[in-house]
Amino acid sequence: MKSYTHLYEVCISEQNRISALKSAKKSLRIRKIIKARHLPDAEIAESARDWIVNYVTSKHDPIYIFDGISRKQRIIYVPTLEELVVQHCVVNALKPMFYKGMYEHSYASLPGRGSHKAKKVIEKWVRTDTKNVKYVLKMDIRHFFDSIPHDILKAKLAKYIHDEQMLDLLYKIIDTTDSGIPLGFHTSQWLANWYLQGLDHYIKEQLHAAHYVRYMDDMVVFGSNKKVLHTIRQEISAYLEKELGLTLKPNWQVFRFSYIKNGEDMGRDLDFMGFRFYRNRTVLRRSIMLKASRKAKKLASKTKPTAYDARQMLSYLGWIKATCTYNMYKQWIKPYVNFKNLKRSISKSDRHNPLQVYYRLARLYQT
């Protein structure tokens, strides 16, 4: 087992603070705060050292939102400028630990590991290994972020991190909430993924799951035998309760995956990450298709769509291109939307965006 030392030194280093500020500024809200306060980057990077050394948790009023895909109500904690910069400093310092031993098919909230990459992996399994993709176990963890026990998380961190100052800083961030970890903090998504690393390896190496993918706390296991999947589900439930202090939601499912018989669809499709996977195709979840078509009609009624509207619609186009939903696009999107004009709108907006200008110049100098 590898232990990590001198992380606090890395965290407060000037190079790390500058890098963390660049990452934090990707948030529009943070850019607006910086602009309103007239704070130069050099001053923020310098102040960040004091923010780390004298870290104090701010008082947060929870914000209730409905998740865009699942429509679940979630409680979000919005970090201050000071907190967010510190969180980016912490994550940068801890990335070697977070990435070491990370399961290759763990997705969500990780650079380069989004739903579209996970989709390609699942499609490959579905198309090339019909024997082991016969049945599906689908499950997720009950109130995942809100239920992570502080004592177990802290004990796991102390097992790997041998740096008291870094641990003290992490504990302060974790203790922002009385229970669980605050959804909305930059550190939370990384800690949550890392917290389940042991479970990932247990499922693959001890339970010998044929194919397993995790999208944060949503998990899918494929197998050739229905009884084996039921046993795997029981073992996972026991592991979660014993090792991590978590519980599975009671709405888990084991079912026969989609297959073709006499030219007809049989079995059930897999609804996961906003996609619906069949044996021979992948389509969008119905709720996403409805949102995209409604957005297209709204854009058609506007004389001058904003850059935000354009980016939102192009995001839907990305979903559509990745799936077998061309007929839906042709009937409900294409007649209402001119994507060339939307791209021009975004390009025009970016020309007057100081941050985008900075990124373009940076890319030129790097080449």
Side-chain angles (χ1 to χ4, degrees):
M1 181 188 73
K2 181 176 174 58
S3 59
Y4 295 85
T5 59
H6 307 293
L7 291 173
Y8 193 76
E9 294 175 14
V10 175
C11 184
I12 65 173
S13 67
E14 182 180 8
Q15 181 181 358
N16 188 50
R17 284 181 277 124
I18 293 171
S19 174
L21 176 59
K22 288 181 181 178
S23 298
K25 286 179 69 176
K26 291 178 181 178
S27 164
L28 176 61
R29 185 180 67 87
I30 294 301
R31 295 201 301 272
K32 287 182 177 179
I33 292 173
I34 292 172
K35 185 177 180 180
R37 294 188 190 177
H38 305 289
L39 294 172
D41 287 1
E43 183 180 330
I44 298 174
E46 184 62 33
S47 300
R49 181 185 176 89
D50 292 330
W51 299 343
I52 296 170
V53 173
N54 304 306
Y55 185 83
V56 178
T57 302
S58 301
K59 185 178 179 181
H60 298 87
D61 293 323
I63 297 174
Y64 295 86
I65 67 165
F66 289 94
D67 185 272
I69 294 176
S70 64
R71 304 304 296 164
K72 295 177 184 176
Q73 187 183 53
R74 301 190 187 277
I75 302 174
I76 302 294
Y77 293 85
V78 181
T80 63
L81 166 64
E82 293 80 2
E83 286 176 321
L84 188 60
V85 173
V86 171
Q87 289 165 22
H88 276 274
C89 287
V90 168
V91 168
N92 284 354
L94 290 177
K95 276 183 180 177
M97 183 187 79
F98 287 143
Y99 277 116
K100 186 174 178 60
M102 183 181 288
Y103 176 53
E104 63 177 325
H105 297 308
S106 166
Y107 300 93
S109 302
L110 294 167
R113 293 197 187 194
S115 58
H116 288 271
K117 185 172 182 179
K119 166 190 163 288
K120 291 178 181 179
V121 169
I122 293 173
E123 286 177 334
K124 181 181 177 182
W125 294 340
V126 167
R127 309 285 193 270
T128 62
D129 192 4
T130 54
K131 178 184 175 182
N132 288 312
V133 185
K134 185 176 182 180
Y135 294 98
V136 179
L137 165 61
K138 184 185 176 187
M139 58 199 157
D140 64 330
I141 298 171
R142 184 175 181 273
H143 301 310
F144 177 47
F145 278 86
D146 297 333
S147 299
I148 295 177
H150 287 192
D151 56 343
I152 299 178
L153 175 57
K154 290 177 180 179
K156 285 174 68 69
L157 288 168
K159 185 177 179 181
Y160 290 90
I161 299 173
H162 297 168
D163 183 327
E164 292 300 324
Q165 288 178 297
M166 193 65 183
L167 283 173
D168 181 61
L169 178 57
L170 279 166
Y171 293 170
K172 287 178 181 177
I173 294 172
I174 292 168
D175 288 336
T176 298
T177 52
D178 294 331
S179 62
I181 54 178
L183 186 60
F185 276 27
H186 183 59
T187 46
S188 293
Q189 61 200 42
W190 288 91
L191 287 171
N193 268 314
W194 180 78
Y195 192 67
L196 294 181
Q197 270 190 27
L199 174 66
D200 294 334
H201 291 285
Y202 177 71
I203 292 172
K204 283 298 294 181
E205 296 161 18
Q206 301 296 318
L207 302 181
H208 307 292
H211 297 297
Y212 160 63
V213 60
R214 178 170 64 81
Y215 191 80
M216 195 52 79
D217 65 312
D218 292 320
M219 297 170 281
V220 170
V221 180
F222 294 100
S224 59
N225 187 293
K226 198 171 185 178
K227 289 183 179 179
V228 170
L229 288 182
H230 278 288
T231 302
I232 287 176
R233 194 272 307 168
Q234 292 168 358
E235 295 295 332
I236 290 172
S237 181
Y239 181 97
L240 284 170
E241 292 182 15
K242 181 181 178 182
E243 301 293 334
L244 302 177
L246 300 170
T247 57
L248 277 182
K249 274 187 184 175
N251 63 345
W252 56 269
Q253 304 169 40
V254 176
F255 56 88
R256 179 72 160 91
F257 183 59
S258 166
Y259 64 99
I260 308 297
K261 185 176 182 180
N262 298 326
E264 293 185 11
D265 284 323
M266 306 294 287
R268 277 179 53 189
D269 62 281
L270 169 63
D271 190 333
F272 186 54
M273 304 180 303
F275 300 105
R276 294 179 65 187
F277 296 89
Y278 292 83
R279 183 65 67 179
N280 60 349
R281 67 192 186 280
T282 304
V283 300
L284 276 178
R285 184 180 290 166
R286 180 177 172 81
S287 60
I288 297 176
M289 288 194 286
L290 287 172
K291 287 179 187 176
S293 60
R294 288 167 185 162
K295 185 66 180 180
K297 288 183 178 180
K298 285 182 181 178
L299 283 179
S301 65
K302 289 188 175 183
T303 54
K304 191 176 180 181
T306 65
Y308 176 80
D309 290 328
R311 287 190 175 91
Q312 199 172 30
M313 196 64 241
L314 286 172
S315 176
Y316 282 125
L317 180 63
W319 283 84
I320 293 166
K321 281 185 175 180
T323 55
C324 305
T325 47
Y326 181 74
N327 287 337
M328 184 278 288
Y329 163 77
K330 191 166 64 173
Q331 182 176 358
W332 300 105
I333 306 292
K334 191 176 180 180
Y336 303 100
V337 179
N338 186 320
F339 282 100
K340 286 185 179 180
N341 288 343
L342 293 184
K343 289 176 181 178
R344 289 194 195 102
S345 173
I346 293 173
S347 179
K348 184 178 179 181
S349 173
D350 287 347
R351 282 200 297 271
H352 300 285
N353 185 330
L355 189 65
Q356 293 298 330
V357 172
Y358 166 79
Y359 285 149
R360 286 198 296 274
L361 289 172
R363 284 194 292 269
L364 285 172
Y365 281 112
Q366 285 171 358
T367 55

